[in-house]
Amino acid sequence: MCYWLYNRSRSRRCGGSKEKFKNKPLLVEANKLALKGGYSYCEATEAFQISYEIPPAQLTPGLYRSMSGNQALALGFVTASQKSGLTLFQGKLPDHSGFGHPSRSFPCTRISA
């Protein structure tokens, strides 16, 4: 659907799937069919009234870093901790299946940046 919405070439993505899953031809075919199915769905149902054309970015030559959203968020937290002078705390809710057990009570980590 995103390929239709943003006028992206499907052939470029199919080529990436071939390389990534070269030892699993069934996955390559499944990816192709899913991509074609989403594209055809958008064309047939007219689910979106308009599509967008975004030209490639004009970047100056240099060294660029590629990162995921999780990596960017983690770097943002560390930077905020350093700039604010506060300790970064990473925690999660307890696993209630083992509630009360000392090793599972409340896992957390303190990170000093």
Side-chain angles (χ1 to χ4, degrees):
M1 293 176 119
C2 288
Y3 279 79
W4 184 90
L5 185 61
Y6 293 105
N7 285 319
R8 296 291 186 215
S9 169
R10 291 179 288 170
S11 61
R12 184 174 161 211
R13 180 62 199 151
C14 287
S17 292
K18 286 178 188 175
E19 183 62 32
K20 185 174 182 179
F21 301 113
K22 61 184 170 190
N23 296 330
K24 299 178 182 181
L26 189 60
L27 285 178
V28 172
E29 191 60 31
N31 276 327
K32 277 188 199 176
L33 291 174
L35 184 61
K36 288 178 184 176
Y39 203 90
S40 297
Y41 174 81
C42 288
E43 286 180 334
T45 63
E46 298 177 358
F48 302 103
Q49 300 301 315
I50 58 171
S51 64
Y52 303 94
E53 185 76 34
I54 300 173
Q58 300 297 322
L59 300 174
T60 56
L63 182 63
Y64 292 92
R65 177 180 294 199
S66 176
M67 68 173 57
S68 70
N70 286 341
Q71 291 169 324
L73 186 62
L75 286 174
F77 282 142
V78 170
T79 302
S81 173
Q82 287 178 341
K83 288 190 173 257
S84 68
L86 298 173
T87 301
L88 181 62
F89 173 81
Q90 173 191 356
K92 68 176 188 174
L93 294 174
D95 177 13
H96 293 291
S97 64
F99 193 75
H101 190 276
S103 66
R104 294 187 176 181
S105 59
F106 195 82
C108 62
T109 306
R110 234 178 119 174
I111 302 172
S112 296

